[in-house]
Amino acid sequence: MKRLYSWNVNGLRACMDKGFMEFLEREQPDVLCLQETKMQPSQADFTFPEYEMYWNSAVKKGYSGTAVLTKEKPLDVFYDLGFADKHNTEGRAITLEYPEFYLVCVYVPNAQDGLKRIDYRMEWEDDFRSYVGALKEKKPVIVTGDMNVAKEEIDLKNPKSNRGNAGFSDQERDKMRVLLASGFVDSFRYLYPDRTDAYSWWSYRFRARERNAGWRIDYFLVSEGYEDRIEDARILSDQTGSDHCPVELILK
């Protein structure tokens, strides 16, 4: 059994002071993918002795960034999406190759208020789909992270009032559907197609978390054909420390 976790920590150094180490020691993940680390490795005054750690930090300080902690040393590690001239300044993707699969940790760009960044988001989506599609030709792929979209109305508390907003625009939802149609399965919905009130992100405003007025925007996707390896998919909504909670994929 292998336990994979993903967590948008909204600043790793801040999260370290809000229960991160207790989470790590309690859950003992085999792999933990992090998004929005908001730091450079040189700023780390902490270590994780049981883990290999890989960083992809944004050029801009205090912004974006991904990291992966893994107990099993991967066969190889790749950063970004393989382009020399784009998608390589915000630290949004790390790919680890293991004997059985590729694991892609991703922090998908936010379309931002008023969908100011929707054109870039659409370009990213197409390039990312091509990237993971090419990996999938070689061996199964697991994609995890903050994908910044609630795909269906069941995936957020207030779909009617959020229609067209960043994270629930028709454009973003359509791209997520196209990604899944290209050969991926949403592990949580595969096991729990009708479960409501299951969210991984809550606004800091309006006591949203207290009221569970949230969104499910953090995912584990697996290649079609790999579903039989899914033991469980969990959302650890009781874990505080960020505006997101961790999500987990347990593999048989």
Side-chain angles (χ1 to χ4, degrees):
M1 195 120 52
K2 193 180 282 284
R3 303 173 74 96
L4 312 178
Y5 291 72
S6 178
W7 193 5
N8 178 323
V9 289
N10 193 12
L12 180 54
R13 286 173 295 172
C15 194
M16 290 292 288
D17 297 326
K18 300 176 185 174
F20 182 86
M21 288 305 294
E22 291 85 349
F23 162 79
L24 196 66
E25 286 159 14
R26 182 186 72 244
E27 297 293 332
Q28 289 292 313
D30 292 299
V31 185
L32 172 57
C33 296
L34 304 175
Q35 301 86 43
E36 217 172 345
T37 52
K38 295 185 177 179
M39 62 177 292
Q40 311 289 325
S42 60
Q43 296 174 293
D45 55 359
F46 45 79
T47 57
F48 306 108
E50 292 182 62
Y51 292 90
E52 303 275 340
M53 188 159 191
Y54 301 93
W55 298 85
N56 192 5
S57 299
V59 172
K60 181 180 173 183
K61 295 281 177 67
Y63 176 73
S64 187
T66 48
V68 180
L69 285 72
T70 175
K71 287 184 175 178
E72 177 185 351
K73 190 176 176 66
L75 302 175
D76 210 344
V77 182
F78 312 95
Y79 299 92
D80 305 312
L81 305 185
F83 293 92
D85 57 347
K86 62 177 177 176
H87 309 316
N88 60 359
T89 62
E90 297 184 357
R92 292 191 175 274
I94 305 176
T95 301
L96 281 69
E97 181 183 1
Y98 293 101
E100 291 185 11
F101 55 80
Y102 290 103
L103 177 64
V104 182
C105 169
V106 64
Y107 178 36
V108 173
N110 192 306
Q112 299 184 351
D113 289 344
L115 302 184
K116 287 196 299 268
R117 214 181 184 200
I118 192 70
D119 290 344
Y120 178 69
R121 169 68 177 263
M122 296 294 99
E123 181 184 1
W124 161 278
E125 293 275 3
D126 291 340
D127 289 339
F128 182 73
R129 189 174 64 256
S130 296
Y131 173 73
V132 295
L135 291 179
K136 195 154 54 69
E137 296 297 313
K138 302 173 190 174
K139 65 173 75 173
V141 176
I142 299 172
V143 175
T144 188
D146 175 2
M147 303 192 76
N148 260 319
V149 61
K151 184 171 72 72
E152 305 298 343
E153 291 194 355
I154 194 175
D155 294 317
L156 72 166
K157 187 70 168 185
N158 297 305
K160 301 255 182 317
S161 58
N162 280 295
R163 177 83 185 269
N165 289 344
F168 199 59
S169 68
D170 292 349
Q171 300 97 305
E172 292 163 298
R173 296 169 67 196
D174 285 346
K175 288 293 187 188
M176 184 57 152
R177 293 184 184 116
V178 172
L179 176 62
L180 292 170
S182 76
F184 286 94
V185 174
D186 175 353
S187 61
F188 183 80
R189 284 292 171 225
Y190 175 74
L191 295 179
Y192 308 109
D194 304 315
R195 183 170 293 179
T196 58
D197 300 319
Y199 309 125
S200 64
W201 174 79
W202 303 262
S203 169
Y204 280 133
R205 297 180 294 173
F206 314 122
R207 299 184 7 261
R209 190 158 190 171
E210 188 182 324
R211 297 184 296 111
N212 197 29
W215 302 47
R216 189 177 73 92
I217 59 176
D218 300 87
Y219 295 80
F220 269 101
L221 311 181
V222 304
S223 295
E224 281 181 354
Y226 212 63
E227 304 95 317
D228 60 347
R229 296 293 308 279
I230 299 172
E231 176 72 26
D232 202 2
R234 300 196 306 146
I235 299 175
L236 284 70
S237 54
D238 290 338
Q239 178 65 49
T240 57
S242 168
D243 51 350
H244 294 249
C245 73
V247 294
E248 179 187 8
L249 176 67
I250 304 174
L251 295 175
K252 295 174 186 171

